[in-house]
Every structure is written in structure tokens, then in C-alpha cells.
């Protein structure tokens, strides 16, 4: 069964590359390395390498592989970059990010304690134990480890979370996430050293809503 999962994972990534949905070699390598089937409920494992989101409990989902790949591509991460993730969920996206930047450089905030505990145990068992996870409101980010080279949201914020943006470094730091209500736009912000911010919109998406807030 493990070999079957590996073959299916490789075919999934091959398909995403052929479609042009992911372009960076580091992104393809990350998606090939992370065993997505280990991050979904056992009864959903037969669908682990379908390119679609799947429920993981607490009304949350694991993102479709193409979306994780697109976000990794857009952030253009390098080894050693310090990255803040808002919304740990099952831990899959954090593991993929860690494949690029290193496990010790990923900091993730999860609103639901139950999901955080399961993700922490799962990541440790799979060799990603140096990923840092805390339970809290993602709108506040994780200032203790700022500044970050990049931050991303795995859940939809109604507006740009300013405190998260503040924790991204000024000279080229990036913030990526779905912004909006029922339907969102995938927005990439890049901070410049002169204090200005460049914005790029990358199409319509639909994510579960970000919890917490003021």
C-alpha cells in the first residue's frame, strides 16, 4: 500500500507540472516528499492523491495539492527562509513548506487546540518535529519569532491581517493569503524597504474562514 501511495503521489505531481499549475522544482520536490495520505483521516485515504480538499475535522479541510503548490510557487521560498503559517490544520501545508525552508524555520499558529495537538504528533512521527506550533488567534501572528521572510494564510481573512503583515520583514517580505468573505481573492503582498507595498491578485479561491479576530 505504501508503494501504491508513492506511485499515486508521483503521478499527481507529474499531472500538476504538466498542467502548468506548479513551476518551481523545489515545489514539485516538496509535494513528492510529503506523504499526504498520512495527513487525512483514514477513511479518506483512498482520496489522498485526488487534487481536491478533504475534511479533517472541526469544519476544517486539507487544501487541494494544486493550491499548496501554487502558494509555494508564489512565495518563492529559499532554504533558510523563516516562514509564518496561519492555520496549521492537519499539518500538511507546513510539512510541504518545511521541505523547502527547513523544519526549524516554520512557525505555525492554529486556532483549534485539538487540531494543533494532532498535527504536532503527526509531524513529529513523520520527521517534521522541529516545526513550531502554537495554539492561538492567527490574527495576532506569532511576534516572538518575527521578522519573517514570508507569511501565508491557509484560511480566509475578511481583510489583510495587519499584525501578521507587520511581522514580515520590510525589505522584500511577503504575505500571501485568501482575502474576502464567501469567495476570496488570493492576494500576494510584498513589502519594500521604502515602506511601500506591492499587491498582486492571483484569482478567485475558496477557503474555510479564519477563526478569531476582534
Amino acid at each position: 500500500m505504501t508503494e501504491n501511495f508513492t506511485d499515486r503521489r508521483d503521478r499527481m505531481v507529474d499531472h500538476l507540472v504538466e498542467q502548468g499549475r506548479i513551476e518551481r522544482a523545489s515545489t514539485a520536490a516538496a509535494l513528492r516528499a510529503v506523504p499526504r495520505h498520512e495527513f487525512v483521516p483514514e477513511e479518506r485515504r483512498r482520496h489522498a492523491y485526488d487534487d481536491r480538499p478533504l475534511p479533517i475535522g472541526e469544519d476544517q479541510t486539507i487544501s487541494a495539492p494544486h493550491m499548496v503548490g501554487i502558494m509555494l510557487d508564489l512565495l518563492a521560498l529559499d532554504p533558510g527562509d523563516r516562514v509564518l503559517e496561519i492555520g496549521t490544520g492537519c499539518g500538511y501545508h507546513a510539512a510541504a513548506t518545511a521541505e523547502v525552508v527547513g523544519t526549524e524555520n516554520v512557525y505555525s499558529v492554529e486556532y483549534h487546540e485539538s487540531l494543533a495537538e494532532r498535527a504536532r504528533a503527526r509531524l513529529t512521527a513523520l520527521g517534521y518535529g522541529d516545526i513550531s506550533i502554537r495554539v492561538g488567534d492567527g490574527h495576532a501572528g506569532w511576534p516572538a519569532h518575527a521578522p519573517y521572510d514570508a507569511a501565508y494564510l491557509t484560511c480566509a481573512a475578511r481583510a489583510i491581517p495587519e499584525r501578521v503583515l507587520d511581522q514580515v520583514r520590510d525589505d522584500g517580505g511577503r504575505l500571501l493569503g485568501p482575502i474576502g468573505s464567501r469567495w476570496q481573492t488570493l492576494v500576494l503582498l510584498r513589502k519594500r524597504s521604502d515602506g511601500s507595498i506591492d499587491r498582486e491578485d492571483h484569482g478567485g479561491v475558496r477557503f474555510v474562514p479564519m477563526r478569531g479576530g476582534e
Side-chain angles (χ1 to χ4, degrees):
M1 181 62 74
T2 300
E3 182 179 357
N4 182 44
F5 279 135
T6 301
D7 291 344
R8 289 174 60 194
R9 184 161 65 252
D10 282 339
R11 288 197 299 270
M12 177 194 76
V13 177
D14 288 343
H15 188 57
L16 294 178
V17 172
E18 290 164 4
Q19 286 183 316
R21 306 198 85 167
I22 57 175
E23 299 179 356
R24 292 172 65 90
S26 59
T27 296
L31 295 185
R32 290 188 199 280
V34 180
R36 189 174 189 252
H37 62 278
E38 297 284 1
F39 292 86
V40 301
E42 190 165 354
E43 66 272 15
R44 305 276 182 179
R45 286 190 171 182
R46 67 187 184 278
H47 299 299
Y49 297 106
D50 296 347
D51 187 21
R52 61 186 174 101
L54 295 169
I56 59 170
E58 301 287 1
D59 294 323
Q60 304 298 297
T61 61
I62 180 174
S63 293
H66 80 267
M67 184 54 61
V68 175
I70 286 170
M71 292 177 72
L72 281 175
D73 269 4
L74 287 172
L75 285 173
L77 299 168
D78 291 317
D81 280 352
R82 181 175 294 191
V83 182
L84 173 63
E85 174 186 72
I86 303 302
T88 315
C90 62
Y92 174 68
H93 201 143
T97 301
E99 286 288 339
V100 180
V101 304
T103 55
E104 69 279 8
N105 296 312
V106 179
Y107 300 85
S108 187
V109 181
E110 172 54 47
Y111 186 78
H112 297 281
E113 185 172 1
S114 60
L115 290 181
E117 290 176 352
R118 292 199 294 269
R120 190 178 289 114
R122 183 181 299 110
L123 289 165
T124 298
L126 294 172
Y128 299 99
D130 286 339
I131 292 174
S132 299
I133 299 172
R134 80 170 182 89
V135 177
D137 185 343
H139 292 84
W142 197 343
H145 302 286
Y148 300 95
D149 297 290
Y152 64 89
L153 316 177
T154 68
C155 44
R158 289 182 176 271
I160 300 295
E162 294 295 337
R163 283 180 286 178
V164 176
L165 182 61
D166 288 343
Q167 292 166 31
V168 173
R169 64 181 173 87
D170 292 330
D171 53 342
R174 290 90 70 200
L175 171 62
L176 175 66
I179 306 300
S181 297
R182 181 174 174 80
W183 291 92
Q184 307 99 34
T185 300
L186 186 61
V187 175
L188 175 64
L189 302 179
R190 187 182 301 274
K191 296 171 74 173
R192 292 182 173 272
S193 55
D194 63 4
S196 63
I197 298 176
D198 292 335
R199 172 173 171 149
E200 299 174 4
D201 290 353
H202 290 275
V205 292
R206 192 173 188 185
F207 281 66
V208 296
M210 193 171 174
R211 300 296 178 90
E214 297 175 352

